[in-house]
Amino acid sequence: MPLGPWRKKNKSTKEQLVDNEEVGGGHAGTGSLGKSSVNGAGLPAPPANLRPKLVFHTQLAHGSPTGRIEGFTNVKELYVKIADAFNISPPEILFCTLNTHKIDMEKLLGGQIGLEDFIFAHIKGIKKEVEIYKAEDALGLTITDNGAGYAFIKRIKEGSVADGVKVICVGDHIESINGRHIVGTRHYEVARMLKELPRDKSFTLRLVEPMKAFDMLEPRSKGAKPASENKVGTGKGTLRLRSKGPATVEDEPTEFEEKAVKKVDDLLESYMGIRDTELAATMVEVGRDKKNPDEFAMALDETLGDFAFPDEFVFDVWGAIGDAKQGRF
């Protein structure tokens, strides 16, 4: 595996809107919930008549009627379905949260949706441009992306350079850096670009914040985990979305999977300045049955050809997966 940081390698009919439906009890399970036999990225989707028919409820986070969506197999298709339900353009959607209309990064839609989760779509709001003086090597930003070409801010480290610029908020989409348009650029590339900006010089970010309703206006969040329980969904299964390959209906993550994915996501932030639960879950899945770090590294290269990871990161991830298997977390 050639390791080294930062290597880059038919629309449906309009869904029904429901004007007076309770938001709190979004039910996803209309139709059969048969298990899919497909269990890996890159495999062909099962025939349409064998796929489980799942219907999810959705709203625009700043306020809207309730819509029903179905028939998506990845995040991009999900955005198309939501956009069609509300008669907006898919590029207007910045990201989605599950079971809350707030900009809560712990409830961010990633690679899994619980079968009873309610989906809130956050759309583009005010654009803003800010000049930042890079007084330190690290800006204190953690970057993620929405799975459809938009990188945005998931966390702001307290006391950091970015924390001192109060106009920058968690949830802001980074549209350009020093005038360079970066829509369509993966989050790890955006993190690298920000890291490589010269110290002791100023640079300009053009940001787009999510649209907010009046009851959502509140002090800026740093993306910290709230004290309340953050486990998403109450259903007995989840819809697993993949950037490559079909979506599958699976059991809720095991304790091993939850702990391993969280640890790998923490390592992604530590080494690369990004958070990505789908990527973390894929790495855990790849490493589950591998016998040694070299075998794991080769499998990562085959599965995630557009990423490249430092050797020490691969070894740490391998160790984290092993610790989770042994229940050492």
Side-chain angles (χ1 to χ4, degrees):
M1 176 179 180
L3 295 173
W6 314 114
R7 176 176 60 82
K8 181 182 177 182
K9 282 184 120 118
N10 299 328
K11 195 171 182 180
S12 64
T13 56
K14 188 173 181 64
E15 307 291 347
Q16 181 182 5
L17 293 179
V18 184
D19 287 310
N20 296 304
E21 195 164 347
E22 285 292 329
V23 173
H27 297 291
T30 63
S32 68
L33 301 181
K35 296 287 181 183
S36 169
S37 62
V38 179
N39 190 28
L43 296 179
N49 63 333
L50 297 181
R51 299 177 197 171
K53 183 180 179 182
L54 303 174
V55 179
F56 292 85
H57 288 70
T58 183
Q59 284 186 343
L60 300 180
H62 65 281
S64 75
T66 299
R68 293 189 182 98
I69 56 172
E70 60 179 292
F72 55 90
T73 61
N74 56 51
V75 173
K76 289 183 179 179
E77 291 181 6
L78 168 63
Y79 289 174
V80 170
K81 293 290 185 178
I82 294 174
D84 191 48
F86 297 109
N87 196 27
I88 61 176
S89 172
E92 287 297 304
I93 300 173
L94 291 180
F95 56 85
C96 295
T97 50
L98 299 177
N99 306 316
T100 179
H101 68 288
K102 296 182 178 180
I103 303 169
D104 183 345
M105 293 293 105
E106 296 299 328
K107 300 296 180 67
L108 192 67
L109 185 151
Q112 292 186 332
I113 306 175
L115 298 184
E116 294 185 1
D117 283 339
F118 198 105
I119 303 170
F120 289 89
H122 298 255
I123 68 172
K124 290 181 178 179
I126 297 172
K127 291 190 175 185
K128 52 195 179 185
E129 192 168 288
V130 57
E131 184 172 299
I132 304 166
Y133 180 74
K134 191 175 182 182
E136 301 176 15
D137 291 329
L139 292 171
L141 294 176
T142 297
I143 309 298
T144 190
D145 75 26
N146 70 348
Y150 288 170
F152 60 94
I153 298 168
K154 187 169 185 179
R155 183 173 297 170
I156 301 172
K157 184 178 180 180
E158 189 169 359
S160 65
V161 171
D163 189 34
V165 185
K166 299 306 179 184
V167 72
I168 301 176
C169 298
V170 166
D172 284 355
H173 160 49
I174 303 174
E175 188 176 72
S176 71
I177 301 173
N178 281 335
R180 178 181 174 182
H181 199 62
I182 60 167
V183 172
T185 303
R186 291 302 307 273
H187 53 330
Y188 56 90
E189 295 175 327
V190 174
R192 175 183 56 79
M193 292 165 63
L194 292 172
K195 185 177 181 179
E196 291 179 349
L197 290 169
R199 183 172 175 169
D200 296 325
K201 290 188 177 181
S202 296
F203 65 96
T204 301
L205 290 181
R206 186 168 180 82
L207 305 170
V208 183
E209 66 180 42
M211 186 176 291
K212 302 180 181 69
F214 286 112
D215 65 350
M216 291 174 64
L217 299 179
E218 55 189 27
R220 177 179 73 165
S221 169
K222 293 182 175 62
K225 185 174 181 178
S228 60
E229 176 62 46
N230 280 311
K231 186 175 180 180
V232 172
T234 58
K236 294 183 178 180
T238 63
L239 181 66
R240 173 78 184 276
L241 304 177
R242 293 178 171 86
S243 57
K244 298 178 182 178
T248 56
V249 178
E250 302 176 354
D251 291 329
E252 284 187 325
T254 64
E255 184 179 7
F256 152 72
E257 290 168 335
E258 287 187 341
K259 290 180 177 179
V261 168
K262 183 183 184 304
K263 180 61 177 178
V264 173
D265 202 24
D266 290 344
L267 289 170
L268 282 169
E269 181 174 20
S270 175
Y271 278 92
M272 301 178 70
I274 65 173
R275 292 194 78 88
D276 188 327
T277 54
E278 180 188 356
L279 175 58
T282 299
M283 297 179 78
V284 171
E285 187 175 318
V286 167
R288 181 191 295 268
D289 60 350
K290 300 302 178 289
K291 298 177 181 178
N292 56 64
D294 289 338
E295 186 178 335
F296 175 52
M298 291 177 64
L300 281 182
D301 197 42
E302 292 174 1
T303 306
L304 302 168
D306 54 346
F307 286 84
F309 305 104
D311 290 354
E312 59 271 25
F313 172 78
V314 174
F315 284 114
D316 282 352
V317 170
W318 169 255
I321 295 172
D323 286 344
K325 286 180 181 178
Q326 299 298 321
R328 290 198 288 264
F329 285 154

